[in-house]
Amino acid sequence: MATTNDLKNGMTLDIDGQLWNVVEFQHVKPGKGPAFVRTKLKSVMTGKVVDKTFNAGIKVEVAILEKRDMQYLYRDGDGFVFMDQETYDQMTISSEVVGDAVNYMLENAEVIVAVHEGEPLYIELPASVEMIVTYTEPGLQGDRSSGGTKPATLETGINIQVPLFIKQDERILVDTRTGDYLGRANS
């Protein structure tokens, strides 16, 4: 248990049996009336963002999230198998929990899995990943009608926009948050 005075960005709260991450908070002391805390909360399960106001000093339940370094091993039917880097225990995580992260995960990729009471909640990817372009049309010099980009298919099957000079089988960096091309890989 903590009070609303202890809130910090990134903290996870258990409100009515649902887990919420604190995106931002603000302590407000109006001239009249009691102080209160205005928060913006993001649901861990659905990603929905809501505004919630608490009276100052009331107790809130803090959820303890364990963040484990894990390695993605392989896809098993509708689930994905991960291995804990410390204990070498394997855990199968459903595709609903993995979500869009599947577009940026290659076998043996290292990720962080947030776990609450033994249940995996979500997967945190690195900010960028290195991937190989498996298919893209050759770029034509002088073809600038599309802003100098063209579609490319990466090794996980996701399609992104890349500059015209990128060729098939080239290694590129991709932003895992937005799916944008970041540049050529240096390896």
Side-chain angles (χ1 to χ4, degrees):
M1 280 290 203
T3 66
T4 53
N5 299 330
D6 301 326
L7 290 181
K8 291 181 176 48
N9 289 345
M11 188 180 257
T12 304
L13 304 177
D14 186 343
I15 301 171
D16 301 328
Q18 288 190 321
L19 298 179
W20 298 85
N21 279 334
V22 177
V23 177
E24 59 185 58
F25 68 97
Q26 178 183 18
H27 290 276
V28 179
K29 176 76 174 104
K32 267 186 184 174
F36 59 91
V37 179
R38 188 178 294 135
T39 62
K40 188 174 280 192
L41 304 173
K42 181 178 180 181
S43 172
V44 170
M45 301 310 265
T46 64
K48 179 177 157 185
V49 177
V50 298
D51 293 321
K52 186 161 178 65
T53 304
F54 297 98
N55 291 330
I58 68 162
K59 294 196 181 299
V60 290
E61 186 75 35
V62 177
I64 306 300
L65 285 188
E66 185 182 349
K67 294 197 176 182
R68 299 181 188 169
D69 290 326
M70 300 190 102
Q71 182 179 24
Y72 169 55
L73 298 178
Y74 57 91
R75 188 174 191 150
D76 182 27
D78 194 35
F80 297 84
V81 179
F82 291 84
M83 180 181 68
D84 192 310
Q85 298 284 61
E86 292 177 16
T87 64
Y88 302 110
D89 291 338
Q90 291 187 7
M91 173 188 289
T92 301
I93 299 177
S94 71
S95 57
E96 291 84 38
V97 173
V98 173
D100 291 338
V102 69
N103 295 325
Y104 307 103
M105 284 189 328
L106 298 172
E107 289 185 0
N108 301 321
E110 294 187 10
V111 298
I112 296 172
V113 177
V115 179
H116 176 65
E117 296 176 355
E119 282 294 312
L121 298 175
Y122 58 88
I123 292 176
E124 288 180 16
L125 296 169
S128 67
V129 291
E130 189 175 305
M131 300 182 91
I132 296 173
V133 176
T134 56
Y135 178 77
T136 187
E137 296 285 336
L140 299 173
Q141 189 62 27
D143 178 16
R144 296 286 184 266
S145 64
S146 61
T149 63
K150 62 183 178 178
T153 304
L154 305 182
E155 55 192 308
T156 58
I158 187 173
N159 290 312
I160 67 166
Q161 291 293 316
V162 297
L164 293 172
F165 57 82
I166 296 296
K167 297 179 183 71
Q168 192 166 314
D169 299 326
E170 224 175 318
R171 289 187 156 290
I172 62 170
L173 293 173
V174 180
D175 188 323
T176 58
R177 297 164 299 213
T178 62
D180 292 339
Y181 166 85
L182 293 176
R184 286 181 167 149
N186 293 332
S187 56

